[in-house]
Amino acid sequence: MSKSSFTTSKNSDQHWILLGIPILFIAGFFMHYIYEWSGNSLIVGIFAPVNESIWEHLKLTLWPMLIWWIVGYILLGKKNNISASQWFTSCTIAELICPLVVLCFYYTYTGALGIESLILDIFSLFLGIAVAQGLALHVYKYARFSPYCLYISVGILILLVVTFTVFTFAPPHIPVFKDSVTGKYGI
């Protein structure tokens, strides 16, 4: 399918959301190493995990997912008459649900069951993305929002970006922010 036929097909917006599942998983997987590959660049540390804390690993979904939804809107928005309010509210739902799923799954198998598994760590990334994108698609297809939802959604997205950035450099000293390898917090 050519780019032009993809961007004008009837359900390309819904396909875009679902296509995000494998692409975001692969992007998140590789993002795990970008900070180290950059020579521990502070700028890169805003976007990629700077340590082995569960909080920092939530960046594996925050930035790729945000970029995915923004690019999707740029490519598909005008041609498919997509409501910015509906699109970005769905994006916000995905951005809020994904870390909740990852955290719940992670703390269930590590805290409640005492299991430490790299395979389950990787699966938690996939599970979070799949559930978040699936729920966002459902919201996108069936919910109707007022234009005010756009402002609220953008505000929440900005708050998430600011929070992740600030907590990279000045994280609270609670377990979710603690590097599981070094016992340190943040950079």
Side-chain angles (χ1 to χ4, degrees):
M1 179 181 281
S2 72
K3 181 182 173 187
S4 62
S5 64
F6 176 78
T7 58
T8 58
S9 69
K10 183 178 178 190
N11 293 319
S12 60
D13 48 353
Q14 296 172 35
H15 289 114
W16 181 267
I17 295 169
L18 291 176
L19 181 62
I21 295 170
I23 291 174
L24 292 170
F25 175 70
I26 292 166
F29 181 82
F30 284 106
M31 277 192 62
H32 185 273
Y33 305 100
I34 291 176
Y35 179 69
E36 185 180 334
W37 292 344
S38 75
N40 299 343
S41 164
L42 293 179
I43 298 296
V44 173
I46 293 170
F47 303 99
V50 299
N51 64 37
E52 290 299 317
S53 71
I54 186 67
W55 176 264
E56 285 294 314
H57 281 73
L58 296 176
K59 290 180 188 177
L60 300 177
T61 62
L62 174 75
W63 291 105
M65 193 174 284
L66 184 59
I67 292 166
W68 182 257
W69 282 83
I70 291 170
V71 168
Y73 188 74
I74 291 168
L75 293 177
L76 304 171
K78 275 190 178 178
K79 291 181 182 178
N80 294 329
N81 198 26
I82 294 173
S83 159
S85 181
Q86 204 158 343
W87 187 262
F88 286 104
T89 300
S90 300
C91 168
T92 304
I93 296 293
E95 289 283 15
L96 294 172
I97 292 300
C98 191
L100 291 176
V101 171
V102 170
L103 288 170
C104 288
F105 185 74
Y106 175 80
Y107 282 118
T108 298
Y109 71 81
T110 59
L113 302 176
I115 299 170
E116 300 235 358
S117 168
L118 179 60
I119 291 171
L120 289 177
D121 292 348
I122 294 168
F123 179 72
S124 70
L125 174 66
F126 178 78
L127 181 65
I129 291 168
V131 169
Q133 290 291 103
L135 182 59
L137 175 61
H138 181 80
V139 168
Y140 177 76
K141 285 173 65 173
Y142 298 108
R144 297 295 170 244
F145 299 98
S146 76
Y148 296 110
C149 289
L150 175 62
Y151 304 119
I152 294 167
S153 295
V154 169
I156 291 170
L157 292 171
I158 290 169
L159 182 62
L160 282 170
V161 166
V162 169
T163 301
F164 271 86
T165 302
V166 169
F167 286 169
T168 294
F169 299 99
H173 285 235
I174 57 176
V176 73
F177 295 95
K178 186 177 183 178
D179 184 326
S180 61
V181 175
T182 66
K184 296 181 181 179
Y185 295 85
I187 290 184

